[in-house]
Amino acid sequence: MSSCSCCRCSTAASLPPPPLVFRRNSKRGREMDYESSSWIWDGVYCHPHLFGGLMLTAALLGLSTSYLSGIGFSSFPYMFSDLGIFPTKRRENKKRVRVYMDGCFDLMHYGHANALRQAKALGDELVVGVVSDEEIIANKGPPVLSMEERLALVSGLKWVDEVIADAPYAITEQFMNSLFNEHKIDYIIHGDDPCLLPDGTDAYALAKKAGRYKQIKRTEGVSSTDIVGRILLTSKDGEVRDNQDGSSPLPADKGTQSHSSHVSQFLPTSRRIVQFSDGKAPGPNARVVYIDGAFDLFHAGHVEILRKAKQLGDFLLVGIHTDQIVSEQRGKYYPIMHLHERSLSVLACRYVDEVIIGAPWEVSKDVITTFNISLVVHGTVAERNSSSPGGNDPYAVPKAMGIFRMLDSPKDITTTSVTKRIIANHEAYTKRNAKKTQSEKKYYDEKVYVSGD
């Protein structure tokens, strides 16, 4: 809107400050809340011709301006709001919209997190159903993670308000009525990729028929099937070998198999990082806690150690090591997920305030000063050598400063233990992936653009 020096400025100089509010229009029998009568001045400033036209019309109808003043300015908002000229604020308690989204959430990744972020944006409260182990086995094959582990992952996401355990794979009429009546769900959400039952029918057909279904955009470049495929590609006949020092087991070499064969197809964008970030900096007196690691194949153990770390301060800063550092420490087949994928998974956790994407191996004095770190912590369960390849302790500086603490890891699950579950059931997961790969190929072949996200 362009400024008008002949109307806005001269009028503003001659008129006194606006008085306070008027509340009730007894003629309409409804209560409205006005913070001030600035609507009058907005009308004069922004719509001088319209305002003058209204006054002229009143005069032509034989009404004087004194009569209009007799009506009182308090009546004007209600007259004009009915015409849609000036907006009003009504004292209404708007009903909070509750949305529901379900899933297996096996091998939780940033694609799951982004789906739930989009679902939350369609309402005020997000309720998430976690499909039971039995239903997953019947419809997709054996899950990698237990129900307890999957619940911990979903509950740890910043966009989730409530969780329903042991949800059915298909939205049956009975369960749908339970969602609408008991859980007060307004809409059921799913991605634009089809979710078919073994008989070929749509798992969300009833929700669509009821007119209570909304669709979100699938996150490109990642899926649980893709991650399982990456792990299977690093294995040889289901065998794994241990490091020479007896620490983290690594997949066996597979001849011509190279690390590039399971490179992610995810294309990181700054917009996605902004969507996942809280965008908040710590206050000047905040107690900043720092924890670093690979956070590969983000799992329940990661969620729990991050929760414990956050309890020790006001602001949790997480350092995500580069792909090169992780590979040097754990072997050429690691990390399974690359740096940006791992960063998004950590950012999605409700206990995390900020991440360093590509954190250094050693926690230096400069890092501590730059981020005003008060405490550096590390879990007792970790998958790396106690020192860097050069033999240096990465926590030597914070230890010398007296700001380092070891935390007892609440869970003993690790990235390696997850990969070993898949490799141990190599045949079952290979069969499962073959079936899923066909459906995903069909999705991409028939894919159309979906707006949103």
Side-chain angles (χ1 to χ4, degrees), residues 9-29:
C9 297
S10 59
T11 306
S14 61
L15 295 177
L20 289 179
V21 301
F22 303 93
R23 280 186 170 277
R24 178 180 291 276
N25 178 4
S26 57
K27 180 179 179 181
R28 293 289 181 185

Side-chain angles (χ1 to χ4, degrees), residues 200-395:
T201 58
D202 186 352
Y204 295 90
L206 289 176
K208 293 176 180 178
K209 184 177 180 181
R212 306 279 286 273
Y213 176 86
K214 288 190 175 184
Q215 181 174 281
I216 59 170
K217 187 174 182 178
R218 171 175 169 162
T219 304
E220 304 297 347
V222 68
S223 66
S224 296
T225 302
D226 169 52
I227 296 171
V228 169
R230 298 186 205 182
I231 295 171
L232 290 175
L233 282 172
T234 64
S235 69
K236 181 179 181 180
D237 299 327
E239 296 178 358
V240 295
R241 60 179 176 83
D242 290 342
N243 287 341
Q244 292 180 353
D245 62 359
S247 60
S248 305
L250 300 172
D253 292 333
K254 190 181 179 182
T256 59
Q257 180 66 46
S258 66
H259 186 274
S260 62
S261 63
H262 64 269
V263 169
S264 167
Q265 300 303 310
F266 173 61
L267 298 176
T269 63
S270 58
R271 179 168 172 266
R272 181 72 74 225
I273 294 173
V274 169
Q275 289 171 335
F276 273 53
S277 175
D278 290 334
K280 297 178 181 179
N285 299 316
R287 181 175 169 83
V288 178
V289 179
Y290 179 73
I291 185 171
D292 61 0
F295 297 97
D296 198 13
L297 288 183
F298 198 73
H299 52 67
H302 292 139
V303 174
E304 292 303 316
I305 196 66
L306 292 173
R307 179 183 60 81
K308 285 193 76 171
K310 180 59 181 286
Q311 292 173 347
L312 299 175
D314 309 306
F315 191 92
L316 182 59
L317 175 65
V318 182
I320 316 294
H321 291 149
T322 64
D323 295 345
Q324 181 180 350
I325 288 176
V326 177
S327 183
E328 289 174 352
Q329 290 299 308
R330 302 196 48 219
K332 65 179 182 179
Y333 292 110
Y334 289 91
I336 301 296
M337 312 290 286
H338 72 54
L339 177 60
H340 287 93
E341 294 177 308
R342 293 182 284 119
S343 298
L344 289 177
S345 293
V346 174
L347 267 177
C349 181
R350 68 171 67 249
Y351 307 114
V352 176
D353 296 293
E354 180 65 290
V355 302
I356 300 176
I357 303 175
W361 171 252
E362 295 184 12
V363 184
S364 65
K365 180 68 165 60
D366 181 66
V367 169
I368 293 171
T369 302
T370 299
F371 294 98
N372 196 27
I373 295 170
S374 303
L375 181 67
V376 177
V377 299
H378 185 57
T380 53
V381 174
E383 291 188 284
R384 63 186 186 192
N385 301 330
S386 59
S387 62
S388 65
N392 298 325
D393 182 354
Y395 303 110

